[in-house]
C-alpha cells in the first residue's frame, strides 16, 4: 500500500479547496466511517471494486482507484495549490487527449499560458509569503497588476523571461535537522503556477490512483481513508512506511527533462522548466548554480517530483538511452 504524502506547510501557496470550490473533506479517518467510506459511497479516491483474491500488484489500484471518467471530463486538472474556481475550459481538450492516448506528445502548450491564467495564478499565491531575491511582495505586485501581467506574458512568449535564483532559507525538522527551502521571486511563482496548471491537465491522467501527494482534491486524509479500506477489507499483512532522504534535492535534471519529453513536445515549455532548474539559489549573498534537485518551496517542484517518481516507477529508464543528456 503506497501513500505518498507531503507536508503542505513548507510550500508558499494556498491549499486547494475541495472540488467545485467546496471547503474540502470533513472525514479525518478517525474511525470506520470517514466521508469516502460511508455506506461505500466513494468520492472516486477509494473504490474497492475487484475480488479479494486478485494479484497483489493490482490490489493497490483497486483499493484507491482512479477518479471516474465523468468527474474528469467536467473539470480541469490543476496543481493542488490552485483555486478550483479558476479552472480553464481551454485545457479540457488537452486532458481528454491525454486520457485517450497515453503515448501522445503535446507540441503546442504555451498558448494556454494566457494573461488571464497568469492573473489567476497570481491570485492563488499566498498573500503574506516571504519575498524572494527580487524583494517584491504580493501586495506590491498587485499595484499596476494588469500592466505587469501583460509585460510578463509578453516576455514568456518571446523567450526573454529569465528565472531568478531562489532565496535560500531553512526551517527546523522534527529530528533537529534543518530543511532547506527555496523562495522563488514572485514572477517565477506566477509563471510556475500557470505552467503547472497546463502540465497537470496531462499528468493527472497518468498519475496512479494510489498517489496522493500534491494532487488536486487529494491529501493525507484521502490516503488514510484508502489505507483503512485496505486494512479492513483486504488481506493486508504489512504496511510499509518509507521515505526517500533528500528526494527533492537529488532529482537528476537530465533524467527529469527526459521524462518530461515523453509527454511534452513543446520546446518552449521544456525551456521554462530548464530555466527554473538551473536558476540556482542565493544564500548569504552568494549564488550557486543548481546541478541537481528542484527547490523545496518552489511552486512547480511538487509536480516535477511526481512526474519523476511516476516515470521511474513505470520503468521509463528502460526506454531511454543508457545515460541522461
Amino acid at each position: 500500500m503506497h501513500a505518498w504524502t507531503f507536508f503542505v506547510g513548507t510550500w508558499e501557496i494556498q491549499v486547494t479547496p475541495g472540488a467545485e470550490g467546496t471547503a474540502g473533506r470533513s472525514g479525518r479517518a478517525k474511525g470506520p466511517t470517514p466521508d469516502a467510506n460511508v455506506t461505500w459511497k466513494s468520492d472516486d479516491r477509494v473504490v474497492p471494486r475487484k475480488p479479494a483474491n486478485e494479484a497483489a500488484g493490482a490490489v493497490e489500484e483497486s483499493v484507491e482507484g482512479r477518479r471516474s471518467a465523468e468527474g474528469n471530463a467536467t473539470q480541469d486538472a490543476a496543481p493542488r495549490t490552485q483555486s478550483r474556481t479558476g479552472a480553464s475550459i481551454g485545457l479540457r481538450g488537452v486532458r481528454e487527449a491525454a486520457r485517450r492516448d497515453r503515448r501522445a506528445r503535446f507540441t503546442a502548450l504555451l498558448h494556454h499560458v494566457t494573461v488571464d491564467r497568469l492573473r489567476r495564478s497570481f491570485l492563488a499565491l499566498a498573500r503574506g509569503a516571504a519575498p524572494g531575491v527580487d524583494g517584491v511582495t504580493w501586495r506590491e505586485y498587485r499595484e499596476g497588476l494588469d500592466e505587469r501581467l501583460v509585460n510578463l506574458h509578453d516576455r514568456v512568449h518571446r523567450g526573454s523571461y529569465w528565472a531568478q535564483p531562489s532565496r535560500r532559507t531553512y526551517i527546523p525538522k522534527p529530528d533537529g535537522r534543518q530543511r532547506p527551502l527555496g523562495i522563488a521571486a514572485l514572477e517565477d511563482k506566477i509563471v510556475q503556477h500557470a505552467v503547472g496548471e497546463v502540465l497537470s491537465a496531462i499528468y493527472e491522467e497518468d498519475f496512479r490512483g494510489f498517489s496522493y501527494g500534491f494532487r488536486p482534491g487529494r491529501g493525507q486524509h484521502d490516503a488514510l481513508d484508502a489505507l483503512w479500506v485496505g486494512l479492513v477489507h483486504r488481506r493486508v499483512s504489512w504496511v510499509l512506511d518509507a521515505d526517500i532522504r533528500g528526494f527533492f534535492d537529488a532529482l537528476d535534471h537530465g533524467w527529469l527533462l527526459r521524462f518530461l519529453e515523453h509527454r511534452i513536445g513543446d520546446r518552449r515549455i521544456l525551456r521554462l522548466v530548464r530555466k527554473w532548474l538551473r536558476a540556482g539559489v542565493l544564500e548569504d549573498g552568494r549564488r550557486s548554480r543548481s546541478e541537481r534537485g528542484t527547490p523545496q518551496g518552489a511552486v512547480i517542484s511538487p509536480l516535477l517530483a511526481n512526474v519523476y517518481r511516476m516515470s521511474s516507477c513505470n520503468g521509463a529508464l528502460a526506454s531511454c538511452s543508457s545515460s541522461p543528456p
Side-chain angles (χ1 to χ4, degrees):
M1 184 73 62
H2 297 72
W4 296 82
T5 58
F6 299 85
F7 292 99
V8 178
T10 62
W11 305 86
E12 290 193 89
I13 37 185
Q14 296 174 339
V15 176
T16 304
E20 304 302 328
T22 61
R25 297 168 53 78
S26 60
R28 291 295 179 265
K30 296 178 181 177
T33 57
D35 289 353
N37 302 326
V38 176
T39 65
W40 293 102
K41 291 183 178 179
S42 172
D43 64 353
D44 288 330
R45 298 172 187 81
V46 182
V47 187
R49 61 190 180 204
K50 293 185 179 179
N53 62 353
E54 62 188 329
V59 169
E60 299 157 332
E61 192 75 2
S62 68
V63 171
E64 285 84 356
R66 278 188 172 272
R67 294 176 175 232
S68 64
E70 179 181 357
N72 284 339
T74 57
Q75 59 187 15
D76 289 312
R80 174 151 180 81
T81 50
Q82 175 200 357
S83 170
R84 299 299 296 176
T85 59
S88 167
I89 297 176
L91 289 179
R92 185 173 300 167
V94 173
R95 184 161 190 171
E96 291 175 351
R99 184 186 307 125
R100 288 193 305 267
D101 186 353
R102 297 300 174 84
R103 295 181 177 273
R105 295 181 75 237
F106 295 82
T107 59
L109 292 172
L110 190 64
H111 68 278
H112 290 290
V113 180
T114 62
V115 173
D116 285 341
R117 190 174 301 282
L118 293 173
R119 180 179 294 104
R120 290 196 298 270
S121 295
F122 168 76
L123 295 174
L125 299 177
R127 273 62 167 168
V133 297
D134 58 348
V136 178
T137 66
W138 188 92
R139 289 177 175 81
E140 290 172 342
Y141 198 86
R142 183 176 56 181
E143 300 297 327
L145 179 62
D146 290 343
E147 293 79 4
R148 291 180 186 269
L149 293 180
V150 169
N151 178 269
L152 177 60
H153 174 268
D154 180 64
R155 284 184 281 128
V156 167
H157 284 261
R158 285 192 295 107
S160 60
Y161 157 83
W162 288 98
Q164 300 188 58
S166 298
R167 181 170 66 84
R168 175 69 78 205
T169 187
Y170 296 88
I171 62 172
K173 300 178 67 173
D175 61 4
R177 293 181 298 164
Q178 297 287 312
R179 182 190 303 277
L181 297 182
I183 302 177
L186 189 63
E187 286 195 336
D188 292 333
K189 294 178 185 179
I190 296 171
V191 181
Q192 288 182 19
H193 190 284
V195 171
E197 284 188 15
V198 176
L199 295 181
S200 289
I202 298 168
Y203 285 108
E204 276 302 308
E205 295 302 320
D206 294 347
F207 293 149
R208 302 296 295 273
F210 50 71
S211 171
Y212 292 91
F214 290 99
R215 300 278 304 282
R218 291 172 175 240
Q220 294 93 328
H221 299 300
D222 304 303
L224 289 175
D225 287 350
L227 181 62
W228 181 88
V229 172
L231 290 173
V232 174
H233 297 278
R234 297 292 178 184
R235 297 175 182 176
V236 177
S237 300
W238 49 270
V239 176
L240 176 64
D241 181 10
D243 184 27
I244 301 176
R245 178 176 296 179
F247 178 61
F248 283 88
D249 299 329
L251 294 184
D252 186 283
H253 291 176
W255 281 123
L256 175 57
L257 290 167
R258 183 69 62 85
F259 292 152
L260 288 170
E261 288 174 355
H262 280 281
R263 280 296 229 173
I264 310 303
D266 191 328
R267 310 306 300 178
R268 299 168 300 173
I269 293 289
L270 294 173
R271 278 196 295 269
L272 286 173
V273 174
R274 189 178 293 109
K275 287 178 181 179
W276 295 324
L277 292 175
R278 297 179 178 176
V281 297
L282 188 69
E283 183 174 5
D284 297 329
R286 300 179 59 184
R287 178 178 179 178
S288 58
R289 291 183 60 85
S290 300
E291 302 298 334
R292 300 176 67 87
T294 179
Q296 293 192 57
V299 178
I300 198 67
S301 291
L303 176 60
L304 296 180
N306 277 341
V307 171
Y308 194 97
R309 178 178 58 80
M310 175 198 68
S311 300
S312 300
C313 292
N314 288 347
L317 286 171
S319 64
C320 297
S321 61
S322 58
S323 61

